[in-house]
Amino acid sequence: QVSAALREGRVGAGELCQRCLARVRGTGLLNAYISVAEDAALLEAEEAEKRYRRGQPLGVLDGIPVAVKDNFNTAGIETTCASNMLKGYISPYNATVVQKLLDQGAVLLGKTNLDEFAMGSGSTDGVFGPVRNPWSYSRQYKEKNPSKSHSENEDSEWVITGGSSGGSAAAISSFTCFAALGSDTGGSTRNPAAHCGVVGLKPTYGLISRHGLIPLVNSMDVPGILTRCVDDAAVVLGLLAGHDPKDSTTIQGAFKPFEIPDSIDVRKLCIGIPKEYHVPGLSSEIQALWSKATDLFKDAGAKVIEVSLPHTSYSIVCYHVLCTAEVASNMARFDGLEYGHRAAMKQSTESMYAATRREGFNDVVRGRILSGNYFLLKENYEKYFVKAQKVRRLIANDFVKVFGSGVDILLTPTTLSDAAPYVEFIKEDNRTRSAQDDILTQAANMAGLPAISVPAALSKRGLPLGLQFIGRSFQEKQLLTVAKWFEKQVKFPVIQLEDMKRHDCNVFQHQKSVS
Amino acid sequence: WLPVVGLEIHAQISSNSKLFSGSQVQFAAPPNSLVSFFDASLPGTLPVLNRRCVEAAVMTGLALNCSINKKSLFDRKHYFYADLPAGYQITQKRVPIAVNGSLSYSLCIDNKMSRMVTKTVRIKQIQLEQDSGKSLHDDTRSQTLVDLNRAGVGLMEVVMEPDMCCGEEAAAAVRELQLILQTLGSSKAIMAEGQLRVDANVSVHHPGEPYGVRTEVKNINSVRFLAKAIDYEIQRQIEELENGGTILNETRAFDSKLGCTISMRDKEGKQDYRFMPEPNLPPLILYDAKSLPANRNHQQVVNIDWIRERLPDLPSVKRAKLVELYGILPEHSFTLLNEDGLAEYFENVIKHTQMKPKKVIGWVLKELLSYLKEHALAVKDSPVSSFLLADLLNLLERKEISSSAAKQVFEELWKGEGKTPLEIVKEKHLELLRDQEELEQICQAVIDRQEDEVMAIKAGNQKVLNKLIGLVQRATRGRSNPVLVKQILEKKL
């Protein structure tokens, strides 16, 4: 819609940019942005406006403000991964996906906040502080949670965004931009999308280039797309997907961008409900929502059957082994020599490495590196790493069998419950939380399948609940079609954001304006 | 004692760009001027495989009689070092590109070129891997300087099984491998430029007993030092064991100045490299004529059979051809191939002269080669071109000059003043004396002077005749035909 507005001249790209930037400033309390590239964005918007006036926009995304998670390389704009290791690091190149957005004329507002190096499920463990869920400041939430006393407690009731792409989810949810990039390794795009009431798409592994995405787990990472509606996600997907010679794991062969039809007939569909996803911690609210959604499809004439993915219960442990092993390997390059933080230690090269890595990484990262190295030791390799790879194959085969038996799409919850208050969330450590929160999302990463979280309803506490659809490899069109149909049925409410008072100036002190 | 020697050879692939990135490969460029984002391990960069490097490895594998693995895999080998920016090297551990080959090489027995024996060493495997950068330790300023130009350059690691027994064998094997790589063009293999690095694994044991503990010898900068280092290490181990000591499984560096190996005790204990599959590179798939998909041509994939058909003649084949074509001795063919460009020189002379190859070879291997060695020149820099030599040999063949005169002309040609052999001959009056009378006069003069020798000859000592011939030669300044001189002298005596 906004694209149409730009084309028709109802609003200028420059003005649009200004308004979004103002919004970014106005929502500073959320801490969604690490860097804001104000001057660059305004310049890009100006260029876009010129193109529109000439009647030659580059495409649908021309002049549209977007945000990018801070683990994507952006030339000239700091890329920190929310870590001391890369504070101040200015990359000399753009990630392929960033370049594609820019080539389409998108206006890059800034880099969004995350868990350090994308490790976490709350967006609470980065060096720039946690991200606050915009719904904490919505009328819907406030109505259901009247604060006990005035201003002091208001600040302690805020809920997390989920993670690790919480900054991007919050940025979309609070209307600062129209599309945002996240990353998804175990659910990092879908989880915060569900908690923030936005659409979060994890594409098939190999569909979108990872060149320039600072890796967590190379064999599972994908760039994720966050938008306010499914149609938008399809548009962005169409612009980003396709072979990249710089990424040898992208598929060959041309990708055809698609438009989702407006009228969708679900009668020919077969929806699978995996019984193993009725996990113990699942809130009764989500259970009920899941059932309701199932009925929705049944009533519309779709075939809905229960299916089994028997190895689901092993996926968390398997994921843990493979993830930490790759993390240990990927983080080996951070030695302070070529770029990034370097400790002042000069006694020897080894002591410099040790000090640099201790100072540069938080506990979560260091913990995973140690675990990963343990699993990769010669005497452990067969027992852990190879075994985990075998289990991974079994998990992937579960999906192959189910999809091969006539099921088109799987329907599951995305998260165990609605967003937790920050003070509750931090009572458990990162590893525990990740293990709990990833359980519904990370099997799709293990199998490389596309999955999408769509906002479904509000919880008793007035917070968003999302549901997840998992599709066949490279069948994003079918996946998004079903998702759009569902989106139309549920008519998820628009967030009613109240003005955020600037409670604590320290919260967003770090937020820099980068030219 | 039975010494056992195996080799691990790293050959730098001759290619325009590096194994996984597009930066250039060039020797002795300004520090850190050939480093791409990937080589510097900037976060978010990914490896992209260089096709030429794969082809080089396939060519080398075929030349060494290996089975080429149609599917091979890449792995990460982790360790921390300043010249390894990513903290890991991408190599092939699980399934390398080529396995189970062999290399035949020749050895002179008792240092006599005339007695050569052929030996074979098994090639365990050939794998593709990245080279590391270079670090220079500046102890005075307590700092290490790192140059990443070499980081990421493609290497072929060739592993030779412990089938060799001494420095000489290892040196011969490496020499032959060098020639093969240079012939294929897959590596320039010049040890002095670091394009060929050899580490030796050495152990000793008594016949019938299991193999001894082996040591690894590194830091060997030439083929000559390779033989020395290995022989030293074998001796060291024997002495150590005979004195009741034990051999540690360690790495030792060869010190060329002292001629011995020194323990590198501060490096590595037992390193665990935490090998892991490289997740950013799919398995490397190669095709042959049978498995080639219908819609692909050789431009789009690497076709083993296509490469095999286009392999150049390997050194052993070239040598055999030289021997067969020209009737030269096998050891001559070795020398011809050992010097860069010498075989081509030889063949060009043959083309332009009537002299028989068996005689030409003498001139090329004795005169030309010794002059080249004396002046430390390569064949391509020879002041005497093959055409000039051919001209000279023609004069000799037509008996217009004697062979000692020819040698004088050659010396003159070497000055490189641009004169032709004929011009030199005229200038220095080196033409063979044709005047029979003048020759007879000179012979008579010599006979008259050398009374003692004449008497000896008349007494039956024919060998002394050669002295007289030599004197006549000297008197004529090499312009007499020795055969004719002999006839005249014999007639007179």
Side-chain angles (χ1 to χ4, degrees), chain A residues 73 86 89 92-93 205 210-215 218-219 245-249 325-326 329-330 332-335 337-339 349 353 357 373 376-379 381 385 389, chain B residues 37-38 40-49 75-76 78 80-88 94 142 144 146 148 271-282:
Chain A
N73 277 271
L86 289 177
Y89 173 68
Y93 74 101
Y205 181 86
R210 288 182 298 112
H211 169 77
L213 166 61
I214 298 178
N218 286 292
S219 61
K246 297 198 189 107
D247 178 352
S248 308
T249 59
E326 286 214 33
S329 178
N330 290 329
R333 65 187 58 209
F334 295 105
D335 52 18
L337 276 182
E338 300 87 15
Y339 48 81
T349 313
Y353 285 166
R357 290 161 72 81
N373 277 326
L376 289 177
L377 289 176
K378 228 195 239 171
E379 65 256 26
Y381 183 72
F385 189 84
Q389 292 278 39
Chain B
F37 297 152
F38 175 76
S41 79
L42 291 195
T45 52
L46 299 169
V48 181
L49 185 55
D75 303 288
R76 292 184 183 180
H78 300 86
F80 285 100
Y81 204 69
D83 59 22
L84 196 67
Y88 59 84
R94 291 166 292 157
S142 303
T144 300
V146 182
L148 294 179
Q271 273 263 19
D272 190 329
Y273 293 111
R274 291 161 279 127
F275 285 97
M276 185 184 94
E278 168 58 70
N280 292 316
L281 291 169

Side-chain angles (χ1 to χ4, degrees), chain A residues 242-256:
Chain A
H243 177 65
D244 182 8
K246 297 198 189 107
D247 178 352
S248 308
T249 59
T250 51
I251 41 146
Q252 309 273 354
F255 169 80
K256 288 193 209 68

Side-chain angles (χ1 to χ4, degrees), chain A residues 423-443:
Chain A
V423 292
E424 287 298 318
F425 185 78
I426 54 172
K427 283 191 183 152
E428 298 276 11
D429 66 66
N430 184 297
R431 164 139 164 64
T432 310
R433 286 296 181 206
S434 298
Q436 292 166 345
D437 300 331
D438 286 347
I439 199 157
L440 299 165
T441 47
Q442 54 67 352

Side-chain angles (χ1 to χ4, degrees), chain B residues 133-144:
Chain B
K134 279 208 193 122
S135 44
L136 299 144
H137 299 289
D138 180 0
D139 289 322
T140 36
R141 290 193 203 88
S142 303
Q143 58 181 9
T144 300

